[in-house]
Amino acid sequence: MTAETRAPTPRADEDTGTPAVELSGARLELGERLLWDGLDLRVRPGEFVAVLGPNGSGKTTLVNVLLGRRELTSGQVLVGGHAPGTRGTRIGYIPQQRALEADLPLRARDLVGLGLDGHRFGLPTGRRERRARVDAALAAVDATRYADQPVGRLSGGEQQRLRVAQALVGDPELLLCDEPLLSLDLANQRVVSRLIDRRRAEAGTAVLFVTHEINPILPMVDRVLYLVDGRFRVGTPEQVMTSETLSELYRTEIDVLRVRGRLVVVGADDAGCHPHEDH
């Protein structure tokens, strides 16, 4: 396990205030399994961090730690300077894309509004203010035209736009994205990725993006956290996504190739990893 060798170059407009995420000496065990130990990670406001690794490496568990759903075995974690799940944390959460039932009696704007109603802290939002915030979130993801349609009758890509809007409606400082591109076609992967990155660019929202497919977001990524069987690396894509680094992580020979601007990982299937290719 190693920390990054250098931090990425800060953007000129970067907010250098409180880190959006700060993990110090983080260790997490699930039963007898060690997911990671000694993990140090500081995510700056406006930074886009991709979290990669095979199934069972602890990617979604990390998201649950930041949401306050699971405690570390040891070490410290702060979200915006606060303990996860407590007053003061402003987190937007985008889950995996799953089709909603066709007869679900819920309009698109109602689904987005759940992002406000689900907050455990703070004063209730007035009806007029609530509608204005929902309308603004719908407009931000170009979903106004189907705001009053039943969500179950919308396409998978349209439903995932609404999940992005639901995550944005609370004006988050951190977006936690857990495989938000899963089951989407390439066109909708690009749309959802760009919506998330636009929020990062315009509002300085930090993004922690769990994925098996780095290619749709590769131009947006500042750093990569790669988790494999209790080991990890943190660094820029150029530092982490190399044959040498992944071979060391997987403890077997891995080749990382660049083909027409995409990354192709060869040999990772045998190591229990999904290749980073667009399907």
Side-chain angles (χ1 to χ4, degrees):
M1 295 172 287
T2 62
E4 69 232 40
T5 56
R6 67 175 177 85
T9 303
R11 299 184 182 86
D13 61 347
E14 179 187 340
D15 181 355
T16 57
T18 303
V21 172
E22 190 165 13
L23 287 157
S24 303
R27 177 184 178 93
L28 188 62
E29 300 171 0
L30 290 181
E32 297 182 355
R33 287 186 59 224
L34 175 64
L35 292 184
W36 15 269
D37 186 23
L39 176 57
D40 297 325
L41 179 67
R42 288 167 58 94
V43 180
R44 303 185 311 270
E47 188 176 14
F48 196 121
V49 177
V51 183
L52 306 175
N55 291 332
S57 59
K59 302 186 301 296
T60 295
T61 305
L62 175 61
V63 170
N64 285 330
V65 167
L66 298 177
L67 288 170
R69 297 174 177 174
R70 181 178 291 277
E71 294 185 0
L72 293 173
T73 305
S74 62
Q76 294 183 331
V77 55
L78 294 173
V79 177
H82 304 275
T86 60
R87 185 187 301 271
T89 57
R90 287 164 48 199
I91 296 177
Y93 172 54
I94 305 174
Q96 297 178 9
Q97 193 276 334
R98 293 187 178 89
L100 299 171
E101 296 180 6
D103 58 351
L104 186 66
L106 193 69
R107 298 176 303 168
R109 67 169 56 255
D110 298 329
L111 181 66
V112 174
L114 293 176
L116 289 173
D117 301 335
H119 287 184
R120 290 180 292 173
F121 302 108
L123 297 175
T125 304
R127 181 176 298 179
R128 185 173 299 177
E129 180 187 354
R130 183 184 188 280
R131 184 177 181 88
R133 292 176 69 173
V134 168
D135 286 343
L138 287 163
V141 300
D142 302 319
T144 302
R145 64 187 182 279
Y146 48 85
D148 295 304
Q149 294 184 26
V151 292
R153 298 180 185 176
L154 301 176
S155 69
E158 290 169 336
Q159 289 179 5
Q160 198 66 339
R161 282 184 186 235
L162 295 176
R163 292 186 177 95
V164 175
Q166 185 186 76
L168 298 183
V169 73
D171 191 25
E173 297 175 325
L174 171 66
L175 271 178
L176 297 177
C177 310
D178 188 8
E179 296 277 10
L181 309 183
L182 198 67
S183 301
L184 295 178
D185 60 29
L186 185 57
N188 279 309
Q189 285 183 358
R190 289 171 176 164
V191 167
V192 171
S193 299
R194 288 169 182 167
L195 289 172
I196 292 168
D197 190 52
R198 186 169 71 188
R199 168 68 189 198
R200 176 206 60 74
E202 294 178 353
T205 302
V207 176
L208 202 74
F209 196 107
V210 172
T211 183
H212 279 110
E213 300 286 350
I214 194 173
N215 284 305
I217 60 170
L218 186 58
M220 310 167 188
V221 173
D222 294 308
R223 285 190 296 163
V224 172
L225 166 61
Y226 211 119
L227 303 167
V228 180
D229 195 23
R231 298 176 295 280
F232 62 85
R233 295 292 183 275
V234 185
T236 64
E238 292 76 15
Q239 292 171 324
V240 176
M241 301 303 297
T242 68
S243 300
E244 180 181 5
T245 298
L246 294 192
S247 295
E248 184 180 350
L249 277 173
Y250 282 102
R251 295 179 175 173
T252 190
E253 187 173 349
I254 304 291
D255 291 315
V256 180
L257 310 175
R258 286 188 175 268
V259 180
R260 297 180 181 178
R262 297 188 305 164
L263 293 177
V264 180
V265 180
V266 181
D269 282 336
D270 294 336
C273 173
H274 294 266
H276 299 285
E277 299 180 80
D278 294 328
H279 297 291

